[in-house]
Amino acid sequence: MLDNKFLFATLLIAVLLLLYYIFVIRRKDDMDELSGKHFLKGFGFLAENNIAKALDEFSSVIIENNDNLEIYASLGSLFRKNGDYAKAVHIHESTLSNSKLTKSLKKYVLFELVKDYKAWGQFDNAKYYLEELIKTDKSPVLIKFFAEIHFMQENYSDAEKYYHRYEKSSGKDYSDWRAYCNVKTAQKEENVKQKTKLLEKAIKIHPSLRIAQVELIDSYFKAGHTEKGLSAVNEFIEKDMTSSYEDLLKMRGYYYDYSDVKSFDELIMKKVSSKSDNPFYTVFLSDYFIKKDDPEKAREVIRDFVEKHKPYKSILKRYSRIKLDKVLINTFINDPEYICDKCKTSYNDYYTVCANCKSLETIKPL
């Protein structure tokens, strides 16, 4: 969230500086009265933190003076970042039809229209402008946009192809997203055998993709492949792919249904004994001792973890409940337990994709 706000603020400041230069410094003597009123009202709305009305006023200044297409196009981008997609599209499409438009500015406006329509959820229009842009611009980022739009349209097979093309043209590793496309296809597949093949393909493309491993384990058990399923559960634990307490409850459930649950508990004890810095094994083991009516052992496990690693929120919450300390409980009960490594958005639950920056499997314990 901070990144989006920072980008929006940076773009707004840039537009304001250009407006100030053009309409206050350069044209101080001949600025018409109506433009001056819009200009001052715009700054007044900014002072009140009313961004939407401020943008409207600045837009009126530029439209009436027709002074600078670059500023006008940038203003359209500000409307998009402020969530007003209709105005963003109107500004960018009207800029596109201007006879004074240069080739470089045309490319910029076409790309802004792609982003406008993508953000607006009008994906066919976004693809139309991408097709127009790619006629004169062979930048790899355009291929990535095709991949993202196909993914958002749930055309996962096409999305995977475009991600693969983007990898080849950019030299960047997008195997995680290619694998995730196969996972999403598998989630829509009703045939268990075909679903398993898609998930095995996803693991082959990107072995460390957690969601692929979780789905594959479930698919093995549904297909009656108990040994493969249990082996995959063990691999999930050994590779430290656990991202939540619920992960461990789910994996233990498979052992409960298909094997000896004591073996799973021993597996977690080994992870804790090996000084794993993953807090969820310790949370799980503390609960295990609580169920065995040994709260002191549960506290000891948590204290040992905090001394060797760090006081994750999930650990502190569990410790406060074991201690029955109302001050601690009230302090941590509503605190988020997760954070996105990329954009630093915090969450109360684990998600495969960050809702803010759309990054894949970047949510980590806080």
Side-chain angles (χ1 to χ4, degrees):
M1 206 64 156
L2 288 175
D3 282 354
N4 283 345
K5 286 182 178 179
F6 177 76
L7 289 171
F8 178 82
T10 302
L11 187 54
L12 181 57
I13 290 168
V15 170
L16 290 176
L17 287 173
L18 283 168
L19 281 166
Y20 185 79
Y21 170 73
I22 290 171
F23 296 113
V24 177
I25 297 176
R26 201 182 77 190
R27 300 179 59 183
K28 187 175 181 180
D29 294 330
D30 61 351
M31 185 176 186
D32 65 90
E33 185 179 350
L34 185 59
S35 294
K37 286 181 179 179
H38 284 306
F39 192 68
L40 291 174
K41 282 178 73 176
F43 275 101
F45 283 127
L46 275 184
E48 296 170 2
N49 202 30
N50 192 332
I51 303 298
K53 287 189 176 180
L55 291 178
D56 277 333
E57 295 299 332
F58 292 137
S59 179
S60 296
V61 175
I62 298 171
I63 290 169
E64 287 167 16
N65 285 271
N66 193 27
D67 194 278
N68 193 297
L69 285 174
E70 287 86 353
I71 297 179
Y72 189 49
S74 296
L75 197 62
S77 305
L78 279 173
F79 274 116
R80 182 185 69 247
K81 291 179 184 296
N82 199 48
D84 197 337
Y85 307 122
K87 285 182 180 175
V89 165
H90 172 73
I91 286 176
H92 287 138
E93 287 187 337
S94 62
T95 305
L96 200 60
S97 63
N98 194 297
S99 60
K100 297 180 181 179
L101 195 68
T102 62
K103 286 184 179 180
S104 60
L105 186 54
K106 182 179 180 180
K107 284 185 179 181
Y108 168 77
V109 174
L110 282 171
F111 194 38
E112 290 305 292
L113 277 165
V114 171
K115 291 187 280 188
D116 292 343
Y117 278 118
K118 180 171 177 271
W120 201 0
Q122 296 191 21
F123 302 122
D124 287 338
N125 287 334
K127 285 194 289 188
Y128 168 79
Y129 282 112
L130 264 177
E131 295 285 2
E132 289 296 306
L133 185 56
I134 210 163
K135 291 175 183 177
T136 55
D137 190 335
K138 304 303 179 184
S139 173
V141 73
L142 301 182
I143 299 172
K144 181 170 173 280
F145 264 76
F146 270 118
E148 291 172 351
I149 291 169
H150 277 293
F151 188 92
M152 294 169 82
Q153 289 184 302
E154 299 186 7
N155 300 327
Y156 301 122
S157 179
D158 289 333
E160 183 192 359
K161 291 174 185 176
Y162 275 105
Y163 277 125
H164 205 179
R165 280 179 57 187
Y166 177 66
E167 279 188 315
K168 290 180 179 179
S169 60
S170 69
K172 295 180 180 179
D173 180 13
Y174 262 69
S175 59
D176 54 348
W177 277 99
R178 286 173 51 217
Y180 191 43
C181 288
N182 281 277
V183 172
K184 297 297 287 184
T185 304
Q187 288 174 339
K188 297 168 69 175
E189 178 61 59
E190 293 182 2
N191 184 290
V192 177
K193 187 176 180 180
Q194 184 60 29
K195 182 175 186 174
T196 302
K197 281 185 177 180
L198 286 164
L199 293 168
E200 287 176 337
K201 180 184 175 184
I203 293 291
K204 189 174 181 180
I205 293 171
H206 196 81
S208 62
L209 191 67
R210 172 198 163 277
I211 186 62
Q213 190 75 8
V214 169
E215 293 283 343
L216 182 59
I217 291 169
D218 191 58
S219 184
Y220 278 149
F221 285 115
K222 284 181 178 177
H225 302 313
T226 303
E227 291 304 315
K228 278 188 174 182
L230 291 172
S231 176
V233 169
N234 291 343
E235 184 179 354
F236 185 85
I237 301 299
E238 288 165 7
K239 287 186 175 180
D240 206 12
M241 301 176 86
T242 301
S243 293
S244 70
Y245 179 64
E246 288 69 30
D247 277 353
L248 296 178
L249 292 180
K250 187 179 181 73
M251 298 304 154
R252 191 178 191 273
Y254 292 128
Y255 261 80
Y256 182 85
D257 292 335
Y258 300 101
S259 184
D260 182 3
V261 76
K262 290 182 180 178
S263 299
F264 182 83
D265 294 339
E266 290 171 0
L267 191 62
I268 302 305
M269 288 180 189
K270 286 180 182 178
K271 289 295 291 186
V272 174
S273 297
S274 68
K275 313 301 181 188
S276 169
D277 62 354
N278 188 319
F280 300 112
Y281 300 126
T282 296
V283 170
F284 182 90
L285 191 56
S286 70
D287 271 8
Y288 171 86
F289 286 122
I290 289 292
K291 290 170 185 175
K292 293 290 184 182
D293 200 25
D294 192 349
E296 183 50 44
K297 186 67 175 175
R299 286 193 287 269
E300 181 185 329
V301 166
I302 289 178
R303 284 196 298 266
D304 287 347
F305 180 90
V306 172
E307 285 177 5
K308 293 180 177 66
H309 303 292
K310 77 173 200 176
Y312 288 93
K313 291 295 175 64
S314 57
I315 291 283
L316 293 174
K317 285 183 179 183
R318 196 58 44 129
Y319 187 73
S320 66
R321 292 191 186 110
I322 294 170
K323 287 280 289 182
L324 295 177
D325 187 319
K326 288 185 178 180
V327 174
L328 288 176
I329 291 173
N330 291 334
T331 300
F332 300 118
I333 194 66
N334 294 318
D335 279 7
E337 293 186 25
Y338 297 90
I339 191 166
C340 174
D341 262 358
K342 188 171 182 180
C343 70
K344 306 307 177 186
T345 302
S346 56
Y347 296 95
N348 289 318
D349 300 296
Y350 176 83
Y351 296 96
T352 298
V353 177
C354 175
N356 180 47
C357 68
K358 310 303 179 187
S359 298
L360 180 60
E361 295 198 346
T362 55
I363 308 295
K364 305 296 179 185
L366 182 61

